[in-house]
Amino acid sequence: MINNERIDHLERLLEVVRGLTTAPDIEAFLQTVISEASEMTDSELASILEYDEVAEELRFLAMQWFQRDMLRPLGVPLEGSAAGWVFKRGQPLIIQDAKADQRHFKVIDRVTRHETSSLAAVPLIVRGEVIGVLETLNKKDNAHYTEEDLTILATLGALAAQAMQNVGLQRKVRIASIELAELERLKTDFIAVTSHELRTPLGLILGHATFLRELAGDQYGEQLNTIIRNATRLKEIVENLSDVDNVQTGAARIRSHQVSLTKVAEDTILTFQDEATARNITLKLDVEGNNPFYVDADGVKISIAVSNLVKNAIQFTDTGGHITVKIMEDSGYLKVSVSDDGIGIPARDLPRVFERFFQVETHLTRRHGGMGLGLSVAKAMIELHGGRIWVESQEGKGSTFIFLLPTTKEQPPVTSISPFLE
Ligand code: ADP
C-alpha cells in the first residue's frame, strides 16, 4: 500500500517535471505545482511566494484560484511570518499548531477569513540563493505533516524555482536585446545626422580652398594644398558614413550595367599606384587569362569595395611589401582577392573586422588612421549585389580579402568602354 502511494507520488512528480517544458507558460506551470503540492500532501491549500526586492517582503505568485483576488495585493513580511522564517534561513518548516505559534502571520487569515491550523513550507532555491517559498496549509483530518511531505514539497519547490529562474533569465535577455536595439538605433541615427550635416560645410571648404589655390598661385600653395588634402580625407570619411547609412536604411540603390571587373581593378590600382610606390610597396594585378570579366553590377559600388580593400592593404603593409589583386572565375562566380604580406589580423579579431567601427588597434595604441568603416562598406557593397566577402589572415604574415560576385550570362555590347558608363 505504502509502495503504491510512493509510486503514485513519483509518477505525479514526473508529470510535473514534464510540465517544465510542456506547460504553456509559467503561470500554468506554477498552478500545477501548487495543486500537486496540496493534493500530494493532503493539504487544504498551497501557495508560492516570491521575494520582492523593492518592497523587501514576500508576495503571492501562485495560489488556489478562489484566493487569487484576496492574496495578490498582500505582502508577507520577513519578520513574524512562517514564510519569512523559511526564506531567511533557507530551511524547511513544519508548524503543527499555527494558532499558538508566533511565527505564523495571522493577518492573511483575517483577510481571507480562513483559519490556519497547521502548515509546512520549503524554501525555493536557485544556485544557493533563496528566491521564494512553497507553502501548504492545513493537513486534512488534523493529521501531522511528515518528513515525507517535506520531501515532496522540496522536489516540487526545486521545479518551481527552476521555472521562475528561467522566466527571470528570459526577462533579462529581452531587456538586454531592447537596450541593444536602442543603442544600434542611436548609432544609426548618429551616422545619418553626422554624414548629412558635415557634407555641406565640407563641400564649401573644398570649393573655396580650390578656388583660392588657383588665385593664390605659389605663394600659399602648400598651405592650401594641405587644407584641400585634409578636407578631401574628411569627405571620404563622410562618404563612407553615408554609404553605410544608405545601406542600413535601405536607401542604397543598385544601378546595374555590364561592368568589367578587370577595368575596375585596373582603375583602382592606377589610383593607388603612387601611394604604393612612395612606400616601396609592389602593387600588381593578376587577371586569369587576361579576361575582362564582365558582371551585371553597379560599377561605382564595386569600385568602392575594391578601393577600400586596396587602401587597407597599403595601410597595413610595411615598406617593401607586396600586394596582389587577383581576378578569376570560380564555379559560376567571379572571384576577386586582394592579398598582402602585411601585419595580418589576429585570429580572435577575424570575425569582427567587417563590423562598423571595428579596428584591431584600440584608440590608445592606434598607429594607423581610419574610422573602422572601410570593410563594413565593402561588405555592404558586395552583399547588395548578392555576393559574399570574407578574409583569411595570419598575424604577422599577411591578409587576403576575397569576394565573390555572381557572373553575368549575357555578353556585353562591344562598345562598352568604361565600367561606369550609364
Ligand atoms: P579602417 O578605416 O580603420 O581601416 P576598416 O573597416 O577598413 O577600417 O578595417 C577595420 C580594421 O581591420 C582595421 O582597422 C584593421 O585593424 C583591420 N584590417 C583591415 N584590412 C587589413 C589588412 N589588409 N591587414 C591587416 N589588418 C587589416
PDB file of all heavy atoms in Angstrom, residues 233 240 308-309 312-317 340 342-345 353-355 357-361 366 369-377 393 398-399 401, ligand 1:
ATOM      1  N   ARG A 233      40.145  64.088 -47.384  1.00  0.00           N
ATOM      2  CA  ARG A 233      40.138  62.909 -46.490  1.00  0.00           C
ATOM      3  C   ARG A 233      38.846  62.877 -45.662  1.00  0.00           C
ATOM      4  O   ARG A 233      38.201  61.854 -45.521  1.00  0.00           O
ATOM      5  CB  ARG A 233      41.383  62.988 -45.586  1.00  0.00           C
ATOM      6  CG  ARG A 233      41.454  61.982 -44.491  1.00  0.00           C
ATOM      7  CD  ARG A 233      41.928  60.624 -45.001  1.00  0.00           C
ATOM      8  NE  ARG A 233      41.666  59.588 -44.023  1.00  0.00           N
ATOM      9  CZ  ARG A 233      40.715  58.685 -44.134  1.00  0.00           C
ATOM     10  NH1 ARG A 233      39.927  58.648 -45.187  1.00  0.00           N
ATOM     11  NH2 ARG A 233      40.534  57.785 -43.198  1.00  0.00           N
ATOM     12  N   ASN A 240      31.919  57.476 -46.711  1.00  0.00           N
ATOM     13  CA  ASN A 240      31.816  56.127 -46.128  1.00  0.00           C
ATOM     14  C   ASN A 240      30.646  56.041 -45.166  1.00  0.00           C
ATOM     15  O   ASN A 240      29.879  55.083 -45.172  1.00  0.00           O
ATOM     16  CB  ASN A 240      33.094  55.795 -45.355  1.00  0.00           C
ATOM     17  CG  ASN A 240      34.077  55.027 -46.210  1.00  0.00           C
ATOM     18  OD1 ASN A 240      33.685  54.389 -47.176  1.00  0.00           O
ATOM     19  ND2 ASN A 240      35.342  55.091 -45.861  1.00  0.00           N
ATOM     20  N   ASN A 308      38.500  50.158 -51.083  1.00  0.00           N
ATOM     21  CA  ASN A 308      38.672  50.048 -49.633  1.00  0.00           C
ATOM     22  C   ASN A 308      39.616  48.901 -49.271  1.00  0.00           C
ATOM     23  O   ASN A 308      40.409  49.002 -48.330  1.00  0.00           O
ATOM     24  CB  ASN A 308      37.313  49.861 -48.939  1.00  0.00           C
ATOM     25  CG  ASN A 308      36.512  51.152 -48.932  1.00  0.00           C
ATOM     26  OD1 ASN A 308      37.003  52.181 -49.384  1.00  0.00           O
ATOM     27  ND2 ASN A 308      35.286  51.113 -48.433  1.00  0.00           N
ATOM     28  N   LEU A 309      39.536  47.796 -50.036  1.00  0.00           N
ATOM     29  CA  LEU A 309      40.421  46.661 -49.743  1.00  0.00           C
ATOM     30  C   LEU A 309      41.876  47.009 -50.077  1.00  0.00           C
ATOM     31  O   LEU A 309      42.792  46.716 -49.289  1.00  0.00           O
ATOM     32  CB  LEU A 309      39.985  45.420 -50.543  1.00  0.00           C
ATOM     33  CG  LEU A 309      38.577  44.876 -50.237  1.00  0.00           C
ATOM     34  CD1 LEU A 309      38.310  43.610 -51.023  1.00  0.00           C
ATOM     35  CD2 LEU A 309      38.421  44.593 -48.737  1.00  0.00           C
ATOM     36  N   ASN A 312      43.312  49.534 -47.539  1.00  0.00           N
ATOM     37  CA  ASN A 312      43.700  48.860 -46.290  1.00  0.00           C
ATOM     38  C   ASN A 312      44.994  48.084 -46.465  1.00  0.00           C
ATOM     39  O   ASN A 312      45.871  48.110 -45.601  1.00  0.00           O
ATOM     40  CB  ASN A 312      42.615  47.882 -45.852  1.00  0.00           C
ATOM     41  CG  ASN A 312      41.498  48.575 -45.103  1.00  0.00           C
ATOM     42  OD1 ASN A 312      41.657  49.705 -44.688  1.00  0.00           O
ATOM     43  ND2 ASN A 312      40.379  47.897 -44.945  1.00  0.00           N
ATOM     44  N   ALA A 313      45.088  47.366 -47.591  1.00  0.00           N
ATOM     45  CA  ALA A 313      46.275  46.537 -47.829  1.00  0.00           C
ATOM     46  C   ALA A 313      47.528  47.420 -47.787  1.00  0.00           C
ATOM     47  O   ALA A 313      48.537  47.054 -47.177  1.00  0.00           O
ATOM     48  CB  ALA A 313      46.152  45.819 -49.167  1.00  0.00           C
ATOM     49  N   ILE A 314      47.444  48.602 -48.413  1.00  0.00           N
ATOM     50  CA  ILE A 314      48.607  49.511 -48.399  1.00  0.00           C
ATOM     51  C   ILE A 314      48.871  49.998 -46.974  1.00  0.00           C
ATOM     52  O   ILE A 314      50.000  50.022 -46.497  1.00  0.00           O
ATOM     53  CB  ILE A 314      48.375  50.717 -49.344  1.00  0.00           C
ATOM     54  CG1 ILE A 314      48.303  50.230 -50.793  1.00  0.00           C
ATOM     55  CG2 ILE A 314      49.481  51.763 -49.184  1.00  0.00           C
ATOM     56  CD1 ILE A 314      47.984  51.309 -51.801  1.00  0.00           C
ATOM     57  N   GLN A 315      47.771  50.337 -46.286  1.00  0.00           N
ATOM     58  CA  GLN A 315      47.928  50.898 -44.946  1.00  0.00           C
ATOM     59  C   GLN A 315      48.539  49.900 -43.958  1.00  0.00           C
ATOM     60  O   GLN A 315      49.325  50.280 -43.100  1.00  0.00           O
ATOM     61  CB  GLN A 315      46.547  51.336 -44.439  1.00  0.00           C
ATOM     62  CG  GLN A 315      46.651  52.215 -43.227  1.00  0.00           C
ATOM     63  CD  GLN A 315      45.315  52.827 -42.867  1.00  0.00           C
ATOM     64  OE1 GLN A 315      44.264  52.333 -43.257  1.00  0.00           O
ATOM     65  NE2 GLN A 315      45.352  53.905 -42.130  1.00  0.00           N
ATOM     66  N   PHE A 316      48.170  48.632 -44.103  1.00  0.00           N
ATOM     67  CA  PHE A 316      48.605  47.648 -43.110  1.00  0.00           C
ATOM     68  C   PHE A 316      49.751  46.766 -43.620  1.00  0.00           C
ATOM     69  O   PHE A 316      49.927  45.645 -43.170  1.00  0.00           O
ATOM     70  CB  PHE A 316      47.419  46.811 -42.634  1.00  0.00           C
ATOM     71  CG  PHE A 316      46.388  47.656 -41.941  1.00  0.00           C
ATOM     72  CD1 PHE A 316      45.208  48.017 -42.591  1.00  0.00           C
ATOM     73  CD2 PHE A 316      46.607  48.132 -40.652  1.00  0.00           C
ATOM     74  CE1 PHE A 316      44.269  48.825 -41.957  1.00  0.00           C
ATOM     75  CE2 PHE A 316      45.676  48.933 -40.013  1.00  0.00           C
ATOM     76  CZ  PHE A 316      44.501  49.285 -40.670  1.00  0.00           C
ATOM     77  N   THR A 317      50.501  47.274 -44.612  1.00  0.00           N
ATOM     78  CA  THR A 317      51.669  46.545 -45.110  1.00  0.00           C
ATOM     79  C   THR A 317      52.898  47.449 -44.948  1.00  0.00           C
ATOM     80  O   THR A 317      52.832  48.641 -45.271  1.00  0.00           O
ATOM     81  CB  THR A 317      51.469  46.173 -46.601  1.00  0.00           C
ATOM     82  OG1 THR A 317      50.318  45.344 -46.696  1.00  0.00           O
ATOM     83  CG2 THR A 317      52.666  45.420 -47.161  1.00  0.00           C
ATOM     84  N   ASP A 340      47.924  40.693 -49.228  1.00  0.00           N
ATOM     85  CA  ASP A 340      49.113  41.459 -48.862  1.00  0.00           C
ATOM     86  C   ASP A 340      49.986  40.628 -47.940  1.00  0.00           C
ATOM     87  O   ASP A 340      49.533  39.613 -47.399  1.00  0.00           O
ATOM     88  CB  ASP A 340      48.717  42.792 -48.176  1.00  0.00           C
ATOM     89  CG  ASP A 340      47.981  42.594 -46.873  1.00  0.00           C
ATOM     90  OD1 ASP A 340      48.547  41.977 -45.953  1.00  0.00           O
ATOM     91  OD2 ASP A 340      46.821  43.045 -46.755  1.00  0.00           O
ATOM     92  N   GLY A 342      51.367  41.938 -45.255  1.00  0.00           N
ATOM     93  CA  GLY A 342      51.498  42.949 -44.200  1.00  0.00           C
ATOM     94  C   GLY A 342      51.367  42.377 -42.800  1.00  0.00           C
ATOM     95  O   GLY A 342      51.691  41.212 -42.553  1.00  0.00           O
ATOM     96  N   ILE A 343      50.813  43.201 -41.901  1.00  0.00           N
ATOM     97  CA  ILE A 343      50.835  42.852 -40.469  1.00  0.00           C
ATOM     98  C   ILE A 343      49.840  41.741 -40.107  1.00  0.00           C
ATOM     99  O   ILE A 343      49.946  41.132 -39.054  1.00  0.00           O
ATOM    100  CB  ILE A 343      50.558  44.091 -39.572  1.00  0.00           C
ATOM    101  CG1 ILE A 343      49.152  44.663 -39.813  1.00  0.00           C
ATOM    102  CG2 ILE A 343      51.608  45.159 -39.779  1.00  0.00           C
ATOM    103  CD1 ILE A 343      48.762  45.739 -38.809  1.00  0.00           C
ATOM    104  N   GLY A 344      48.859  41.468 -40.978  1.00  0.00           N
ATOM    105  CA  GLY A 344      47.892  40.416 -40.695  1.00  0.00           C
ATOM    106  C   GLY A 344      46.937  40.800 -39.575  1.00  0.00           C
ATOM    107  O   GLY A 344      47.042  41.874 -38.973  1.00  0.00           O
ATOM    108  N   ILE A 345      45.980  39.897 -39.315  1.00  0.00           N
ATOM    109  CA  ILE A 345      44.943  40.184 -38.312  1.00  0.00           C
ATOM    110  C   ILE A 345      44.923  39.030 -37.298  1.00  0.00           C
ATOM    111  O   ILE A 345      44.901  37.868 -37.703  1.00  0.00           O
ATOM    112  CB  ILE A 345      43.557  40.305 -38.992  1.00  0.00           C
ATOM    113  CG1 ILE A 345      43.590  41.439 -40.025  1.00  0.00           C
ATOM    114  CG2 ILE A 345      42.441  40.528 -37.982  1.00  0.00           C
ATOM    115  CD1 ILE A 345      42.418  41.460 -40.967  1.00  0.00           C
ATOM    116  N   VAL A 353      36.115  41.976 -38.081  1.00  0.00           N
ATOM    117  CA  VAL A 353      36.687  43.071 -38.887  1.00  0.00           C
ATOM    118  C   VAL A 353      35.682  43.739 -39.824  1.00  0.00           C
ATOM    119  O   VAL A 353      35.870  44.886 -40.205  1.00  0.00           O
ATOM    120  CB  VAL A 353      37.943  42.649 -39.702  1.00  0.00           C
ATOM    121  CG1 VAL A 353      39.141  42.486 -38.822  1.00  0.00           C
ATOM    122  CG2 VAL A 353      37.661  41.452 -40.548  1.00  0.00           C
ATOM    123  N   PHE A 354      34.588  43.015 -40.181  1.00  0.00           N
ATOM    124  CA  PHE A 354      33.613  43.631 -41.092  1.00  0.00           C
ATOM    125  C   PHE A 354      32.543  44.440 -40.343  1.00  0.00           C
ATOM    126  O   PHE A 354      31.644  44.979 -40.959  1.00  0.00           O
ATOM    127  CB  PHE A 354      32.940  42.565 -41.970  1.00  0.00           C
ATOM    128  CG  PHE A 354      33.884  41.957 -42.968  1.00  0.00           C
ATOM    129  CD1 PHE A 354      34.486  40.744 -42.722  1.00  0.00           C
ATOM    130  CD2 PHE A 354      34.190  42.617 -44.143  1.00  0.00           C
ATOM    131  CE1 PHE A 354      35.371  40.181 -43.623  1.00  0.00           C
ATOM    132  CE2 PHE A 354      35.071  42.073 -45.064  1.00  0.00           C
ATOM    133  CZ  PHE A 354      35.665  40.855 -44.800  1.00  0.00           C
ATOM    134  N   GLU A 355      32.659  44.486 -39.000  1.00  0.00           N
ATOM    135  CA  GLU A 355      31.678  45.272 -38.225  1.00  0.00           C
ATOM    136  C   GLU A 355      31.976  46.760 -38.347  1.00  0.00           C
ATOM    137  O   GLU A 355      33.149  47.143 -38.432  1.00  0.00           O
ATOM    138  CB  GLU A 355      31.770  44.917 -36.734  1.00  0.00           C
ATOM    139  CG  GLU A 355      31.105  43.627 -36.388  1.00  0.00           C
ATOM    140  CD  GLU A 355      31.317  43.281 -34.913  1.00  0.00           C
ATOM    141  OE1 GLU A 355      31.604  44.190 -34.109  1.00  0.00           O
ATOM    142  OE2 GLU A 355      31.214  42.092 -34.596  1.00  0.00           O
ATOM    143  N   PHE A 357      32.874  50.349 -37.386  1.00  0.00           N
ATOM    144  CA  PHE A 357      33.731  50.976 -36.381  1.00  0.00           C
ATOM    145  C   PHE A 357      34.702  50.025 -35.693  1.00  0.00           C
ATOM    146  O   PHE A 357      35.335  50.385 -34.716  1.00  0.00           O
ATOM    147  CB  PHE A 357      32.903  51.705 -35.303  1.00  0.00           C
ATOM    148  CG  PHE A 357      32.016  52.772 -35.851  1.00  0.00           C
ATOM    149  CD1 PHE A 357      30.639  52.648 -35.787  1.00  0.00           C
ATOM    150  CD2 PHE A 357      32.550  53.886 -36.455  1.00  0.00           C
ATOM    151  CE1 PHE A 357      29.812  53.625 -36.314  1.00  0.00           C
ATOM    152  CE2 PHE A 357      31.736  54.859 -36.983  1.00  0.00           C
ATOM    153  CZ  PHE A 357      30.362  54.739 -36.907  1.00  0.00           C
ATOM    154  N   PHE A 358      34.803  48.779 -36.214  1.00  0.00           N
ATOM    155  CA  PHE A 358      35.754  47.873 -35.555  1.00  0.00           C
ATOM    156  C   PHE A 358      37.164  48.115 -36.085  1.00  0.00           C
ATOM    157  O   PHE A 358      37.388  48.228 -37.277  1.00  0.00           O
ATOM    158  CB  PHE A 358      35.376  46.403 -35.776  1.00  0.00           C
ATOM    159  CG  PHE A 358      36.345  45.480 -35.107  1.00  0.00           C
ATOM    160  CD1 PHE A 358      36.246  45.210 -33.754  1.00  0.00           C
ATOM    161  CD2 PHE A 358      37.428  44.952 -35.816  1.00  0.00           C
ATOM    162  CE1 PHE A 358      37.184  44.407 -33.112  1.00  0.00           C
ATOM    163  CE2 PHE A 358      38.374  44.157 -35.184  1.00  0.00           C
ATOM    164  CZ  PHE A 358      38.238  43.882 -33.831  1.00  0.00           C
ATOM    165  N   GLN A 359      38.114  48.184 -35.159  1.00  0.00           N
ATOM    166  CA  GLN A 359      39.519  48.290 -35.536  1.00  0.00           C
ATOM    167  C   GLN A 359      40.321  47.385 -34.625  1.00  0.00           C
ATOM    168  O   GLN A 359      40.014  47.293 -33.431  1.00  0.00           O
ATOM    169  CB  GLN A 359      39.999  49.738 -35.375  1.00  0.00           C
ATOM    170  CG  GLN A 359      39.255  50.670 -36.323  1.00  0.00           C
ATOM    171  CD  GLN A 359      39.668  52.109 -36.176  1.00  0.00           C
ATOM    172  OE1 GLN A 359      39.818  52.583 -35.070  1.00  0.00           O
ATOM    173  NE2 GLN A 359      39.837  52.785 -37.276  1.00  0.00           N
ATOM    174  N   VAL A 360      41.306  46.707 -35.212  1.00  0.00           N
ATOM    175  CA  VAL A 360      42.105  45.784 -34.401  1.00  0.00           C
ATOM    176  C   VAL A 360      42.852  46.563 -33.324  1.00  0.00           C
ATOM    177  O   VAL A 360      42.872  46.187 -32.160  1.00  0.00           O
ATOM    178  CB  VAL A 360      43.088  44.994 -35.296  1.00  0.00           C
ATOM    179  CG1 VAL A 360      44.078  44.201 -34.447  1.00  0.00           C
ATOM    180  CG2 VAL A 360      42.324  44.072 -36.228  1.00  0.00           C
ATOM    181  N   GLU A 361      43.437  47.694 -33.719  1.00  0.00           N
ATOM    182  CA  GLU A 361      44.140  48.507 -32.720  1.00  0.00           C
ATOM    183  C   GLU A 361      43.113  49.326 -31.951  1.00  0.00           C
ATOM    184  O   GLU A 361      42.146  49.794 -32.531  1.00  0.00           O
ATOM    185  CB  GLU A 361      45.090  49.484 -33.421  1.00  0.00           C
ATOM    186  CG  GLU A 361      46.177  48.811 -34.218  1.00  0.00           C
ATOM    187  CD  GLU A 361      46.896  49.826 -35.090  1.00  0.00           C
ATOM    188  OE1 GLU A 361      46.218  50.561 -35.820  1.00  0.00           O
ATOM    189  OE2 GLU A 361      48.120  49.881 -35.026  1.00  0.00           O
ATOM    190  N   ARG A 366      46.614  53.119 -31.318  1.00  0.00           N
ATOM    191  CA  ARG A 366      46.461  53.230 -32.757  1.00  0.00           C
ATOM    192  C   ARG A 366      47.630  53.939 -33.449  1.00  0.00           C
ATOM    193  O   ARG A 366      48.007  55.033 -33.098  1.00  0.00           O
ATOM    194  CB  ARG A 366      45.158  53.985 -33.035  1.00  0.00           C
ATOM    195  CG  ARG A 366      44.692  53.772 -34.425  1.00  0.00           C
ATOM    196  CD  ARG A 366      43.214  53.873 -34.547  1.00  0.00           C
ATOM    197  NE  ARG A 366      42.900  53.735 -35.955  1.00  0.00           N
ATOM    198  CZ  ARG A 366      42.903  52.596 -36.599  1.00  0.00           C
ATOM    199  NH1 ARG A 366      43.161  51.492 -35.941  1.00  0.00           N
ATOM    200  NH2 ARG A 366      42.647  52.539 -37.878  1.00  0.00           N
ATOM    201  N   GLY A 369      45.553  55.443 -39.393  1.00  0.00           N
ATOM    202  CA  GLY A 369      44.341  56.278 -39.408  1.00  0.00           C
ATOM    203  C   GLY A 369      43.117  55.429 -39.686  1.00  0.00           C
ATOM    204  O   GLY A 369      43.144  54.210 -39.574  1.00  0.00           O
ATOM    205  N   GLY A 370      42.010  56.072 -40.041  1.00  0.00           N
ATOM    206  CA  GLY A 370      40.812  55.312 -40.401  1.00  0.00           C
ATOM    207  C   GLY A 370      39.753  55.355 -39.322  1.00  0.00           C
ATOM    208  O   GLY A 370      40.013  55.782 -38.195  1.00  0.00           O
ATOM    209  N   MET A 371      38.570  54.923 -39.701  1.00  0.00           N
ATOM    210  CA  MET A 371      37.418  55.011 -38.791  1.00  0.00           C
ATOM    211  C   MET A 371      36.828  53.636 -38.498  1.00  0.00           C
ATOM    212  O   MET A 371      35.827  53.523 -37.799  1.00  0.00           O
ATOM    213  CB  MET A 371      36.317  55.842 -39.466  1.00  0.00           C
ATOM    214  CG  MET A 371      36.609  57.309 -39.554  1.00  0.00           C
ATOM    215  SD  MET A 371      35.790  58.157 -38.222  1.00  0.00           S
ATOM    216  CE  MET A 371      34.086  58.014 -38.720  1.00  0.00           C
ATOM    217  N   GLY A 372      37.386  52.588 -39.100  1.00  0.00           N
ATOM    218  CA  GLY A 372      36.789  51.271 -38.919  1.00  0.00           C
ATOM    219  C   GLY A 372      35.534  51.109 -39.741  1.00  0.00           C
ATOM    220  O   GLY A 372      34.623  50.353 -39.376  1.00  0.00           O
ATOM    221  N   LEU A 373      35.452  51.831 -40.863  1.00  0.00           N
ATOM    222  CA  LEU A 373      34.237  51.753 -41.689  1.00  0.00           C
ATOM    223  C   LEU A 373      34.468  51.076 -43.035  1.00  0.00           C
ATOM    224  O   LEU A 373      33.549  50.531 -43.631  1.00  0.00           O
ATOM    225  CB  LEU A 373      33.704  53.168 -41.954  1.00  0.00           C
ATOM    226  CG  LEU A 373      32.964  53.825 -40.804  1.00  0.00           C
ATOM    227  CD1 LEU A 373      32.657  55.270 -41.132  1.00  0.00           C
ATOM    228  CD2 LEU A 373      31.680  53.073 -40.500  1.00  0.00           C
ATOM    229  N   GLY A 374      35.725  51.131 -43.524  1.00  0.00           N
ATOM    230  CA  GLY A 374      36.014  50.684 -44.892  1.00  0.00           C
ATOM    231  C   GLY A 374      35.510  49.276 -45.187  1.00  0.00           C
ATOM    232  O   GLY A 374      34.880  49.042 -46.226  1.00  0.00           O
ATOM    233  N   LEU A 375      35.779  48.334 -44.280  1.00  0.00           N
ATOM    234  CA  LEU A 375      35.390  46.958 -44.557  1.00  0.00           C
ATOM    235  C   LEU A 375      33.879  46.758 -44.462  1.00  0.00           C
ATOM    236  O   LEU A 375      33.306  45.974 -45.208  1.00  0.00           O
ATOM    237  CB  LEU A 375      36.103  46.001 -43.592  1.00  0.00           C
ATOM    238  CG  LEU A 375      37.609  45.830 -43.834  1.00  0.00           C
ATOM    239  CD1 LEU A 375      38.209  44.878 -42.817  1.00  0.00           C
ATOM    240  CD2 LEU A 375      37.868  45.326 -45.252  1.00  0.00           C
ATOM    241  N   SER A 376      33.234  47.487 -43.532  1.00  0.00           N
ATOM    242  CA  SER A 376      31.772  47.322 -43.443  1.00  0.00           C
ATOM    243  C   SER A 376      31.124  47.878 -44.708  1.00  0.00           C
ATOM    244  O   SER A 376      30.135  47.328 -45.195  1.00  0.00           O
ATOM    245  CB  SER A 376      31.211  47.974 -42.176  1.00  0.00           C
ATOM    246  OG  SER A 376      31.387  49.358 -42.233  1.00  0.00           O
ATOM    247  N   VAL A 377      31.703  48.944 -45.260  1.00  0.00           N
ATOM    248  CA  VAL A 377      31.176  49.487 -46.514  1.00  0.00           C
ATOM    249  C   VAL A 377      31.405  48.474 -47.644  1.00  0.00           C
ATOM    250  O   VAL A 377      30.492  48.162 -48.416  1.00  0.00           O
ATOM    251  CB  VAL A 377      31.846  50.840 -46.857  1.00  0.00           C
ATOM    252  CG1 VAL A 377      31.489  51.293 -48.251  1.00  0.00           C
ATOM    253  CG2 VAL A 377      31.423  51.905 -45.847  1.00  0.00           C
ATOM    254  N   SER A 393      43.529  35.349 -42.866  1.00  0.00           N
ATOM    255  CA  SER A 393      44.686  36.133 -42.449  1.00  0.00           C
ATOM    256  C   SER A 393      45.470  35.424 -41.356  1.00  0.00           C
ATOM    257  O   SER A 393      44.915  34.605 -40.613  1.00  0.00           O
ATOM    258  CB  SER A 393      44.209  37.491 -41.925  1.00  0.00           C
ATOM    259  OG  SER A 393      45.305  38.286 -41.573  1.00  0.00           O
ATOM    260  N   GLY A 398      50.267  38.272 -43.124  1.00  0.00           N
ATOM    261  CA  GLY A 398      49.523  38.972 -44.185  1.00  0.00           C
ATOM    262  C   GLY A 398      48.061  38.576 -44.226  1.00  0.00           C
ATOM    263  O   GLY A 398      47.623  37.709 -43.460  1.00  0.00           O
ATOM    264  N   SER A 399      47.328  39.251 -45.116  1.00  0.00           N
ATOM    265  CA  SER A 399      45.876  39.028 -45.188  1.00  0.00           C
ATOM    266  C   SER A 399      45.450  38.881 -46.644  1.00  0.00           C
ATOM    267  O   SER A 399      46.049  39.485 -47.535  1.00  0.00           O
ATOM    268  CB  SER A 399      45.112  40.217 -44.615  1.00  0.00           C
ATOM    269  OG  SER A 399      45.646  40.599 -43.381  1.00  0.00           O
ATOM    270  N   PHE A 401      41.770  39.328 -48.577  1.00  0.00           N
ATOM    271  CA  PHE A 401      40.333  39.587 -48.580  1.00  0.00           C
ATOM    272  C   PHE A 401      39.794  39.076 -49.912  1.00  0.00           C
ATOM    273  O   PHE A 401      40.388  39.353 -50.969  1.00  0.00           O
ATOM    274  CB  PHE A 401      40.044  41.083 -48.416  1.00  0.00           C
ATOM    275  CG  PHE A 401      40.270  41.558 -47.010  1.00  0.00           C
ATOM    276  CD1 PHE A 401      41.543  41.881 -46.564  1.00  0.00           C
ATOM    277  CD2 PHE A 401      39.210  41.643 -46.117  1.00  0.00           C
ATOM    278  CE1 PHE A 401      41.763  42.296 -45.253  1.00  0.00           C
ATOM    279  CE2 PHE A 401      39.413  42.058 -44.809  1.00  0.00           C
ATOM    280  CZ  PHE A 401      40.697  42.378 -44.372  1.00  0.00           C
TER     281      PHE A 401
HETATM  282  P1  ADP B   1      39.821  51.337 -41.080  1.00  0.00           P
HETATM  283  O1  ADP B   1      39.251  52.565 -41.714  1.00  0.00           O
HETATM  284  O2  ADP B   1      40.149  51.513 -39.647  1.00  0.00           O
HETATM  285  O3  ADP B   1      40.929  50.732 -41.884  1.00  0.00           O
HETATM  286  P2  ADP B   1      38.264  49.040 -41.943  1.00  0.00           P
HETATM  287  O4  ADP B   1      36.833  48.686 -41.710  1.00  0.00           O
HETATM  288  O5  ADP B   1      38.674  49.237 -43.351  1.00  0.00           O
HETATM  289  O6  ADP B   1      38.596  50.314 -41.061  1.00  0.00           O
HETATM  290  O7  ADP B   1      39.158  47.920 -41.304  1.00  0.00           O
HETATM  291  C1  ADP B   1      38.895  47.507 -39.965  1.00  0.00           C
HETATM  292  C2  ADP B   1      40.149  47.012 -39.300  1.00  0.00           C
HETATM  293  O8  ADP B   1      40.526  45.765 -39.881  1.00  0.00           O
HETATM  294  C3  ADP B   1      41.342  47.912 -39.494  1.00  0.00           C
HETATM  295  O9  ADP B   1      41.377  48.940 -38.525  1.00  0.00           O
HETATM  296  C4  ADP B   1      42.490  46.940 -39.301  1.00  0.00           C
HETATM  297  O10 ADP B   1      42.734  46.744 -37.922  1.00  0.00           O
HETATM  298  C5  ADP B   1      41.939  45.638 -39.884  1.00  0.00           C
HETATM  299  N1  ADP B   1      42.374  45.444 -41.291  1.00  0.00           N
HETATM  300  C6  ADP B   1      41.690  45.733 -42.406  1.00  0.00           C
HETATM  301  N2  ADP B   1      42.372  45.407 -43.518  1.00  0.00           N
HETATM  302  C7  ADP B   1      43.557  44.895 -43.103  1.00  0.00           C
HETATM  303  C8  ADP B   1      44.715  44.357 -43.741  1.00  0.00           C
HETATM  304  N3  ADP B   1      44.795  44.275 -45.080  1.00  0.00           N
HETATM  305  N4  ADP B   1      45.716  43.908 -42.955  1.00  0.00           N
HETATM  306  C9  ADP B   1      45.649  43.974 -41.619  1.00  0.00           C
HETATM  307  N5  ADP B   1      44.590  44.476 -40.936  1.00  0.00           N
HETATM  308  C10 ADP B   1      43.553  44.912 -41.659  1.00  0.00           C
END
